[in-house]
Each structure stands twice: as C-alpha cells, then as structure tokens.
Amino acid sequence: MSSTPPFHETLDLTLCGSMGRVHRLCRDAVTLAVEPLGLTQSRWTAMMHLFHLNQGCTQQELANSLGIEMPSLTRTIKQLEQQEIIARKADAEDKRSKRLYFTEQGLQLLDTLQVIIADVKQHLYADLTTEQLDTMAHGLIQMEQNARQCIRHYSGDK
Amino acid sequence: MSSTPPFHETLDLTLCGSMGRVHRLCRDAVTLAVEPLGLTQSRWTAMMHLFHLNQGCTQQELANSLGIEMPSLTRTIKQLEQQEIIARKADAEDKRSKRLYFTEQGLQLLDTLQVIIADVKQHLYADLTTEQLDTMAHGLIQMEQNARQCIRHYSGDK
DNA sequence: TTAAAATAGTTAGCATGCTAAGTAAATGGA
DNA sequence: TCCATTTACTTAGCATGCTAACTATTTTAA
C-alpha cells in the first residue's frame, strides 16, 4: 500500500486536462438545457454574472467578474444586444464607459434561465457533499493563485 | 453562522467557470514554460498522452485519452507531423487506421518536456495536500459522470 | 456473396478564449 | 495649460474545442 501512487496522479497529467474536460461537459449540459432560450454558453454566463453584479456595471467590471478579457466579452455583449436581451448606455460621467442593463424581455428570459440553471446545478452536484465541494473550491482558488505566480515566474522574472 | 452559505456557492455560479479559468491558467503556465521548445498546449498535451499510451496507438485511442474528438486531434497531429516530432504509419491490418510514433527528435524533445512539466506541476500543486488533490480528483470524476448523465437527460431522453 | 451499417480519419466551418494594435476620452505632471 | 500616459472599448486574427458531412475501409447480416 505504501507504494501506491496518490489517486490524483493516476487521473491526469496535471489535473488541468480533467478540469478542462469537466468544464466543457458542465457547460454543454447547461447549454443544452437552456437551448430553447436560444442562448450559447458565453451568453448565459454573461447574463448570470450581470445579474449578480447588479445592472449598470461597466463592461470592464463584467469581464473581471467572468474572469475573461475585454475582447472576449465585446463579442458576447454585441450578440446579447442584437438579441435585445441587454442594452448598453454610455456613462454620463465617463464617455469611454458603457453601462449594461437588461431589457424588459431580457429580465423575463433571466427568470427562466435562473430556474433552469438551478435545476441543472442540482444534477451536476449530485452525490457530492458540501465538504467535498468546498474543498474543491478552495483547491481551485489555490491552484489559480499558484498558476498566476507561475506565469509571472516564467514571463516577467528572468 | 448557521445561515452562512457553503463556501463553494460564493465562488462561482456553478464551479464550472472556476474550472475553466484554472484550466486556462495552468495551461498557460505550462505553455509559457515550454515556449523555448516551440510547442502549443494542444501539442505538448498530445505528446504527453502519447507517451503514456505507448507509441503505436491509433489516433482514436489518443483522442480518447485526451478526452477530445477526432477532428480536434487531426489538426494537432498534422502540426506535430510537420514539426517532425511524430510520424504516422498506416496499420498493416486495418488500412483505415494510422498508428502514431515519436521520431528520433521527438523523443529528445519529449525528455526535455517531461522535466519542465514536472517542475511546473510542483509549482501548481504548491500548498495543496495530497488529500486535497485526491478529493478534487474524485470530485472531478463524479462531476464528469453527472454532467454526462445530465447531457443524456436533456438530449436523448425526452 | 453482397448490400448495409459501423469505424478511422479528414475537411469545413462555428464558438469562445486570447493577444496585438487602434480609437477616443480622461488624467496627471511639466 | 497642454502633451504624455492611462483607461475603456473595439477590431482583427490566432488557438483549440466542437458538430456535420465526406471518403475509404471493415464488419455484419440477409
């Protein structure tokens, strides 16, 4: 027994591959469930984050919340605007900024979306205890910090 | 205290967003570290998996190991072949299959790659105990199963 | 034995992340 | 005050995942 490798070593080369795979699968599950609403992953994710940030935030704030870069968000915002789910209004104070709001229809769609996502989430978390989920969440945060430091190490510092 | 929500609830809407983010960051960290070798993420990942499968496997087997679809792999294989890191040889038994082998240079590159990845991995896992990593690995497997079932639920079964 | 179904691989084109480089507005220091 | 820097956002184009649809081969079954 003492020579058995730790379980996670057997799973994947860096755990990263598994995370990518689980990420894609969870994403696909939700996207499939919300398919009737005509939303892709990037769109429903942005909607959920906009809801949690409260309306009226800037694109920069939303991008930070999503953990993606601005250009990635620009495309999604444009689509949501074309679908008339959200509206962009120039900030009166700072003419560079655009603030984001749900339209009337957008709010209705959001309601439906929330219900569906809550349901899917239950399925995704099935058979996982709160302790397990919390351990995973803490681990993810730690790995995120490690990775960022690692990136700094290999790029900036030479 | 009793009304405090579980930690993972505060982290992200579905944990999926975090996984995607950590996945991208880990991937970037390794890719940056192996940059001198001229390899992108999909290429070094494929090399590592090919090594673990032993040479001579088919593209289908490698795709399964990587958890990606065939067309995604085709592109990567083509690049690795152009870089003369791997070679494809038609199977004598089954003319549809192509078996994958490292070239001489490919093997040398692999050696260097392994050393670098082992190093990066240490950084990425810093401050995480074996127990934590194992819990995460088990959780990921469970979530992967849940997601697959969920996808079946929303697509096939109606 | 031969036509239908399954399997290995490819090509074409979409979704979503990224970086690099550009525009317009705000800010800060000479 | 005014030019240089910074900031918010956009555009262009790449990397890597995907599905759909095609070819060629193998297997299955009538």
Side-chain angles (χ1 to χ4, degrees), chain A residues 87-155:
Chain A
R88 275 190 282 206
K89 293 179 190 159
D91 187 309
E93 306 283 306
D94 186 336
K95 289 176 195 160
R96 292 169 308 177
S97 297
K98 298 180 183 173
R99 298 194 169 272
L100 304 172
Y101 301 87
F102 282 108
T103 61
E104 199 50 50
Q105 326 169 29
L107 283 173
Q108 288 178 18
L109 204 59
L110 180 64
D111 278 346
T112 314
L113 183 60
Q114 306 235 44
V115 173
I116 297 178
I117 286 188
D119 185 54
V120 176
K121 219 161 142 177
Q122 274 207 324
H123 285 287
L124 293 179
Y125 288 173
D127 299 317
L128 287 161
T129 64
T130 298
E131 290 71 30
Q132 261 182 299
L133 289 170
D134 281 359
T135 300
M136 290 176 72
H138 281 290
L140 285 169
I141 288 179
Q142 181 69 56
M143 285 186 73
E144 183 164 343
Q145 286 175 356
N146 291 350
R148 285 187 197 284
Q149 200 192 325
C150 205
I151 288 172
R152 275 196 301 277
H153 172 70
Y154 281 106
S155 55

Side-chain angles (χ1 to χ4, degrees), chain A residues 22 26 29-30 117-134 136-137 140, chain B residues 6-19 139 142-147 150:
Chain A
V22 175
C26 291
V30 178
I117 286 188
D119 185 54
V120 176
K121 219 161 142 177
Q122 274 207 324
H123 285 287
L124 293 179
Y125 288 173
D127 299 317
L128 287 161
T129 64
T130 298
E131 290 71 30
Q132 261 182 299
L133 289 170
D134 281 359
M136 290 176 72
L140 285 169
Chain B
F7 176 72
H8 69 274
E9 289 285 347
T10 69
L11 175 61
D12 201 280
L13 280 359
T14 58
L15 265 194
C16 285
S18 299
M19 280 187 287
Q142 181 69 56
M143 284 185 73
E144 183 165 342
Q145 286 175 355
N146 291 350
C150 206

Side-chain angles (χ1 to χ4, degrees), chain A residues 69-85:
Chain A
E69 299 299 321
M70 288 279 292
S72 307
L73 184 59
T74 297
R75 192 201 286 127
T76 304
I77 296 282
K78 197 184 291 181
Q79 295 166 343
L80 285 168
E81 198 176 26
Q82 281 175 345
Q83 288 187 282
E84 293 180 47
I85 290 170

